[in-house]
Amino acid sequence: MCHEKNARIPCTIMKHKALAEGVYELVLEAPGIVGEAKAGQFVNLYCKTGGKLLPRPISICETDREEGLLRLVYAVVGSGTREISGYPEGDQIEVMGPLGNGYTLDQGARHVLVGGGVGTPPLVELAKRLSGEKVIYLGFRTQPYLVESLREYGPVHVATDDGSQGHKGTVLELMEEHQVTGGMLYACGPTPMLRAVQAYALAKGIPSQLSLEERMGCGFGGCVGCVCKVRAEGGEGFAYKKVCKDGPVFDGKEVLLT
Amino acid sequence: MCHEKNARIPCTIMKHKALAEGVYELVLEAPGIVGEAKAGQFVNLYCKTGGKLLPRPISICETDREEGLLRLVYAVVGSGTREISGYPEGDQIEVMGPLGNGYTLDQGARHVLVGGGVGTPPLVELAKRLSGEKVIYLGFRTQPYLVESLREYGPVHVATDDGSQGHKGTVLELMEEHQVTGGMLYACGPTPMLRAVQAYALAKGIPSQLSLEERMGCGFGGCVGCVCKVRAEGGEGFAYKKVCKDGPVFDGKEVLLT
Amino acid sequence: MRMEVEIAGVRLKNPVTTASGTFGSGREYEPYVDINRLGAVIVKGVANKEWLGNPAPRIAETYGGMLNSVGLQNPGVDAFMLEDIPFLRRFDTKIVVNIAGRTVEEYCEVVEKLRDADVDMLELNISCPNVKEGGVAFGIDPKMAELATREVKKVARQPLVVKLSPNVTDIVEIAKAVESGGADAVSLINTLIGMRIDARKRKPVLANKIGGLSGPAVKPVALRMVYQVAKAVDLPVIGLGGIMTGEDAIEFMMAGATAVSVGTANLLDPGATMRILDEMEAFLQENNIRDIRDIIGVVE
Amino acid sequence: MRMEVEIAGVRLKNPVTTASGTFGSGREYEPYVDINRLGAVIVKGVANKEWLGNPAPRIAETYGGMLNSVGLQNPGVDAFMLEDIPFLRRFDTKIVVNIAGRTVEEYCEVVEKLRDADVDMLELNISCPNVKEGGVAFGIDPKMAELATREVKKVARQPLVVKLSPNVTDIVEIAKAVESGGADAVSLINTLIGMRIDARKRKPVLANKIGGLSGPAVKPVALRMVYQVAKAVDLPVIGLGGIMTGEDAIEFMMAGATAVSVGTANLLDPGATMRILDEMEAFLQENNIRDIRDIIGVVE
Ligand SMILES: Cc1cc2nc3c(=O)[nH]c(=O)nc-3n(C[C@H](O)[C@H](O)[C@H](O)COP(=O)(O)OP(=O)(O)OC[C@H]3O[C@@H](n4cnc5c(N)ncnc54)[C@H](O)[C@@H]3O)c2cc1C
Ligand SMILES: Cc1cc2nc3c(=O)[nH]c(=O)nc-3n(C[C@H](O)[C@H](O)[C@H](O)COP(=O)(O)OP(=O)(O)OC[C@H]3O[C@@H](n4cnc5c(N)ncnc54)[C@H](O)[C@@H]3O)c2cc1C
Ligand SMILES: Cc1cc2nc3c(=O)[nH]c(=O)nc-3n(C[C@H](O)[C@H](O)[C@H](O)COP(=O)(O)O)c2cc1C
Ligand SMILES: Cc1cc2nc3c(=O)[nH]c(=O)nc-3n(C[C@H](O)[C@H](O)[C@H](O)COP(=O)(O)O)c2cc1C
Ligand code: FES
Ligand code: FES
């Protein structure tokens, strides 16, 4: 047989525990994946039951190349993540990846990282790999997580919708208050947050890299299911790009968040 | 809520091992089921993956009421039994039962029990419950199993298709050779064997009880999917009866094995 | 929380009914189901005389579904009236009789016999894929569908639901035809026609070769059709096809169904209707919906 | 073991092809698939000009399947000829171009441009449920199907496969119509029309509301249609719909297909075609079948 590579790799679950209400940390033994992974890339997780065939794309939160460990952090939002949250340590799960383009590491001196909810996880690997000064802004609905992991790399400012920790309100309010600026703005989170970050970056004249979410059929560019709009090359109108393959990270100047 | 009873009960797998090539013994903790079970009844096993929704009906092989244990013996023949054979000890499987009518225990002094392949398992519980003399005939394609379990209750005569053990040929040849007779003939096995047993019993004037197999949609009488033919009441033609509910054990004088 | 809905003047205490042919007349389900809690029992198909049905195997498993070729085995309307109606009348629920036939005359014969029977509604099955001699033709040709509906309406005393086949190019056209024929409501979908082959034996798994596909696999098709039909006709719709959970049932109601039927799910778990009803109530509670009628057809 | 089959004079080294729209033009699959081992690559739909496709979300999960409303996004035939044909010609496999269009003129425009292109076969998609402005009408009306086939045949230099829609009352009638129109082969099935609703958001999951259902859930319907069509027409049939394993593929061939296409399975595992081919070969070996053509249509 000449097909060299298996795409779906069964990985052993080394650690699986709740970080916050409905948010789980999942550590997998996945040496092949972490060997290649870049910050901002993601993996596909596959469910086992209930006729759920499509992948659950989850961002790479952190990698440990020496131990071959892949750390993921995910929220239970539907039947797939609910099923996965029940897998015990020692069990196996099928994983494909790393997928997508990941963040481009800017060579500048100061980086602004912005995460919203389960958009926070990829910032961990990103912060680890970026050299230079980092300042981190995180927004949550209520209970924050991964704050300690990120504090290793720079000051962390937290906003929560219900004020249970940090600023009561949005992460953008906090950024505006601090008039934060830097050589590159990296963001991951829900679309309304990304839209606000994009506007902020444009207003301040800071380049930005935004990581998007879309429903996926394959995760590797096969189905053209996961599109977002980007400014058309001429300038008029738009073109569709694949979030899984051309993204999930897009240039804030190009992507149209409608 | 007024619905008293859950039909599908998750049961823990206490023991799971191969008895012969592709034939497994599965012991479940199922006190509710063994408390009610009769010889010749069956349970539904439910798979977990691959969109396989229908039950796998498996005969009750033996019960241990004190320990609440249910013993099943099954052959791997398709995707469902293949999946089940991979469940480790300690895992859970959903079970419904006991289902069907089971054998009627004859009060006579001598019983003939005939099993073919995976029709053998229900004879174990049956032999245990029958009082009086028992003589047991078993047919296998090649490697026999459950012979030792049955020898406790009476002499066991084995036939194998390939002659690897006992008589080389069919179990019917062995019965004809022995001109075996008794007050009741109980059989379970593939249809061709049942047909031969039925003819043998009629010829000898021995009443018989035959346990049938059919593809099932529900296992409890809900879908009318699992029918066999029985002589119509008037005598002309036939009527359909449900294997799962009116059977799986039928009177050899009534059932039409076409 | 108000769960009551009304179909053609018949009040159901809640929208959960049983799909014809997957619940018998309820006897096998009594240990697991509080029949008093059901909106209605839609019984298995009943013909003018006893039907033997098709030879076995009648069942085949498919990914996320099943094929059946039962072929409407039933003891005939006389036996049904003698045995099943008295059984069901012991419960506080509505009785809907599913009518099977090969010709308009056969349909009418059953319906006439039921004129004075103590049942609440009739469901005309013009969509069974498992009966060769006609029956199915009524479900795929709008003129035939209208004709059968009109003739049956003439003799029916109870409100008439017509059950539609999904094996058509344009289900809206059929729905409109039975509306013109005088139907009081429609139910959909019946099964999709499917097949399985046993590769080792080189033959179809079902003795009848083809059968009706049901179960969660068909839900997206069913939901689409319910949505299209509910938008196009003025009749109340009973939605079914692959309902396994309370949320599935809610989706059908949001697509425009006034009530739902649970089919294959009953076979997989006899208590399914009770669980589904509990889950529907929980959904309403969580989403602060006081009256189930507020969600009917909310999807645009 | 002989795996070669022939469709309309084109020899495929084995019956395994890729279903249009689930394999792009193969680039994304190269790391996982030895494209030289495929019987043919059926590429994604190509139109006369660039099509943007539908807005997102374009994908929804269903039990044992998926809905898509991609809407035939493609860069147009000129870009396709410039970029995709040279890429695919590097491999020793056949190239089948899936033709998209809203009108007969659009279909013909694409086919004319491909006259002198180095491709082996054309597949006319008269069955996409995701394009509103016609296109689908050709797939559900026998007269329109025949017309489109006939007009395209006039300009086509390569053999023409016509891809049929399952969303019809009588697929045999459509197959016969395209046979009369001069088709050299038929492929079936395209996707079933389906829908999903997000109960919490009270709206369809897909931006386009409805989409095409594919995956193992649809296999029984696909297999039944392939069986019916293969019995009724004299054309070779390419069978597809929910093929996940080698045994699934064998079932389609036993039902009458000369070749098969693997669709959704590619999205779930990019190496699916290789696994399926291995499994088919293993099946033949186990069952002592020397020539795959011996199983085509063996089921009666
Ligand atoms: C590139 C990328 C990275 C992501 N990283 C993370 C992460 O690190 N942590 C995390 O908690 N979540 C992440 N998500 C979101 C996560 O994929 C979804 O929450 C998850 O797939 C939902 O699955 P479910 O079965 O629980 O929900 P259901 O709604 O039951 O899922 C049904 C289907 O919808 C898809 N789906 C549902 N919501 C989304 C969504 N927001 N984006 C894409 N597909 C969706 C599922 O994949 C599935 O196909 C990421 C999404 C993308 C696209
Ligand atoms: C009352 C009864 C008791 C049984 N007892 C035993 C037993 O003790 N030990 C044992 O090994 N086997 C027994 N069988 C047969 C067993 O149920 C089948 O071998 C098993 O269901 C096959 O499942 P599968 O998924 O491996 O095969 P597949 O062929 O992949 O199954 C697909 C479908 O066909 C059904 N099916 C396939 N073969 C049969 C069959 N022969 N009878 C009924 N349904 C079938 C399955 O339930 C499933 O719905 C019994 C069958 C019945 C009806
Ligand atoms: C075993 C079985 C028997 C059925 N018998 C009938 C019947 O007698 N009359 C009828 O109108 N529909 C009959 N149906 C169709 C169901 O009522 C229902 O329309 C279909 O199964 C789709 O719903 P589901 O996916 O929830 O099962 C039958 C379905 C099954 C599975
Ligand atoms: C994402 C996606 C895109 C598709 N695009 C096309 C297309 O461009 N042209 C076409 O004829 N069929 C298209 N199809 C239909 C498939 O080719 C195939 O007919 C269908 O998916 C059934 O096969 P499957 O169940 O193996 O996927 C597409 C299917 C999917 C899932
Ligand atoms: S998910 Fe298939 S192309 Fe992106
Ligand atoms: S399997 Fe449903 S009635 Fe027997």
Side-chain angles (χ1 to χ4, degrees), chain B residues 1-8 46 49-56 79 96 99 214-229 238-242 245, chain C residues 21-24 28-34 37 52-66 70 73 198 201 205 216 244 266-270 274-275 278:
Chain B
M1 246 127 301
C2 319
H3 42 109
E4 314 105 78
K5 219 167 124 176
N6 270 329
R8 289 168 65 149
Y46 294 92
T49 71
K52 298 189 288 291
L53 301 176
L54 299 187
R56 270 60 187 170
S79 61
M96 188 192 294
L99 299 165
E214 191 44 75
R215 285 178 183 262
M216 294 192 174
C218 66
F220 53 81
C223 70
V224 206
C226 61
V227 292
C228 65
K229 291 180 179 174
F238 67 91
Y240 282 122
K241 290 235 175 185
K242 299 175 192 171
K245 185 92 182 173
Chain C
T22 65
F23 201 76
E28 290 79 7
Y29 291 83
E30 231 195 318
Y32 310 102
V33 173
D34 178 1
R37 274 190 82 205
L52 285 177
N54 290 320
R58 291 178 171 183
I59 302 285
E61 188 177 53
T62 69
Y63 199 110
M66 63 183 280
V70 169
Q73 178 177 340
D198 184 326
K201 297 195 186 142
V205 171
M244 297 288 280
N266 292 314
L267 307 179
L268 307 178
D269 176 359
M274 297 294 104
R275 179 179 48 75
D278 292 344

Side-chain angles (χ1 to χ4, degrees), chain B residues 22-24 40-43 45 47 52-61 72-84 99 117-122 145 188 211-217 226 243-244 247-249, chain C residues 59-62 196 198 201 205:
Chain B
V23 177
Y24 292 82
Q41 287 189 301
F42 66 96
V43 297
L45 300 183
C47 295
K52 298 189 288 291
L53 301 176
L54 299 187
R56 270 60 187 170
I58 302 290
S59 301
I60 291 172
C61 173
L72 307 173
V73 172
Y74 68 91
V76 170
V77 301
S79 61
T81 47
R82 193 176 318 118
E83 176 187 320
I84 291 167
L99 299 165
V118 289
T120 305
Y145 41 86
C188 184
S211 180
L212 272 57
E213 272 193 14
E214 191 44 75
R215 285 178 183 262
M216 294 192 174
C226 61
V243 171
C244 71
V249 180
Chain C
I59 302 285
E61 188 177 53
T62 69
R196 255 200 68 186
D198 184 326
K201 297 195 186 142
V205 171

Side-chain angles (χ1 to χ4, degrees), chain B residues 138-154:
Chain B
L138 304 180
F140 297 94
R141 210 163 300 150
T142 165
Q143 205 186 340
Y145 41 86
L146 292 175
V147 176
E148 289 317 307
S149 292
L150 281 163
R151 231 192 279 282
E152 277 189 47
Y153 306 103

Side-chain angles (χ1 to χ4, degrees), chain B residues 56-68:
Chain B
R56 270 60 187 170
I58 302 290
S59 301
I60 291 172
C61 173
E62 203 176 351
T63 63
D64 177 341
R65 291 207 183 170
E66 256 138 68
E67 305 288 327

Side-chain angles (χ1 to χ4, degrees), chain A residues 223, chain D residues 19-22 44-45 66 68 70 72 98 123 125 163 189-191 214-215 218 240-243 261-264 267:
Chain A
C223 70
Chain D
S20 178
T22 65
K44 62 173 181 245
M66 63 182 281
N68 89 80
V70 169
L72 290 171
N98 182 272
E123 181 180 58
N125 179 5
K163 185 159 178 184
I189 60 172
N190 209 314
T191 52
S214 62
V218 310
L240 74 156
I243 294 177
S261 299
V262 177
T264 301
L267 308 179

Side-chain angles (χ1 to χ4, degrees), chain D residues 19-292:
Chain D
S20 178
T22 65
F23 201 75
S25 287
R27 265 193 205 81
E28 290 79 8
Y29 291 83
E30 230 194 319
Y32 310 102
V33 174
D34 178 1
I35 296 177
N36 298 302
R37 274 190 80 204
L38 291 172
V41 172
I42 307 184
V43 303
K44 62 173 181 245
V46 177
N48 59 338
K49 294 205 179 64
E50 182 182 5
W51 286 13
L52 285 178
N54 290 319
R58 291 178 171 183
I59 302 286
E61 187 178 55
T62 69
Y63 199 110
M66 63 182 281
L67 292 166
N68 89 80
S69 60
V70 169
L72 290 171
Q73 177 177 339
N74 78 89
V77 62
D78 294 328
F80 172 78
M81 285 169 60
L82 214 63
E83 287 163 26
D84 293 342
I85 299 179
F87 168 78
L88 280 169
R89 263 298 161 248
R90 289 168 32 210
F91 303 96
D92 176 24
T93 188
K94 303 297 178 189
I95 305 176
V96 183
V97 186
N98 182 272
I99 314 290
R102 298 182 197 86
T103 60
V104 172
E105 290 68 35
E106 286 186 10
Y107 285 132
C108 288
E109 202 182 319
V110 182
V111 170
E112 256 173 70
K113 289 216 169 146
L114 289 167
R115 276 183 70 85
D116 301 316
D118 185 12
V119 302
D120 301 288
M121 221 175 335
L122 307 174
E123 181 180 58
L124 188 66
N125 179 5
I126 57 167
S127 46
C128 180
N130 289 321
V131 181
K132 281 188 197 100
E133 313 86 352
V136 68
F138 295 109
I140 60 177
D141 176 337
K143 286 207 196 65
M144 298 275 283
E146 183 174 345
L147 173 80
T149 307
R150 176 161 297 128
E151 293 303 315
V152 168
K153 258 316 264 186
K154 284 184 194 155
V155 290
R157 207 180 49 78
Q158 297 89 351
L160 183 70
V161 187
V162 180
K163 185 159 178 184
L164 308 181
S165 167
N167 301 293
V168 295
T169 307
D170 184 0
I171 195 160
V172 165
E173 186 189 22
I174 311 281
K176 284 183 172 161
V178 306
E179 184 172 36
S180 309
D184 300 297
V186 289
S187 56
L188 61 150
I189 60 172
N190 209 314
T191 52
L192 283 162
I193 306 173
M195 181 176 188
R196 258 200 68 186
I197 288 173
D198 183 327
R200 258 149 263 273
K201 298 195 185 141
R202 299 173 167 224
K203 56 178 207 178
V205 171
L206 298 173
N208 195 43
K209 291 187 185 176
I210 60 168
L213 181 65
S214 62
V218 310
K219 193 191 121 192
V221 174
L223 193 65
R224 182 263 297 182
M225 290 183 165
V226 165
Y227 176 79
Q228 291 177 326
V229 167
K231 290 264 172 296
V233 299
D234 285 326
L235 303 175
V237 173
I238 302 177
L240 74 156
I243 294 177
M244 298 287 281
T245 67
E247 200 163 312
D248 290 339
I250 298 280
E251 288 183 41
F252 274 88
M253 295 192 69
M254 289 182 167
T258 299
V260 295
S261 299
V262 177
T264 301
N266 291 314
L267 308 179
L268 307 177
D269 176 359
T273 44
M274 297 295 104
R275 180 180 47 77
I276 287 168
L277 189 51
D278 292 344
E279 288 168 354
M280 289 175 79
E281 288 175 354
F283 180 94
L284 296 188
Q285 200 111 50
E286 274 166 38
N287 292 274
N288 288 314
I289 299 159
R290 297 241 173 70
D291 187 334
I292 187 120

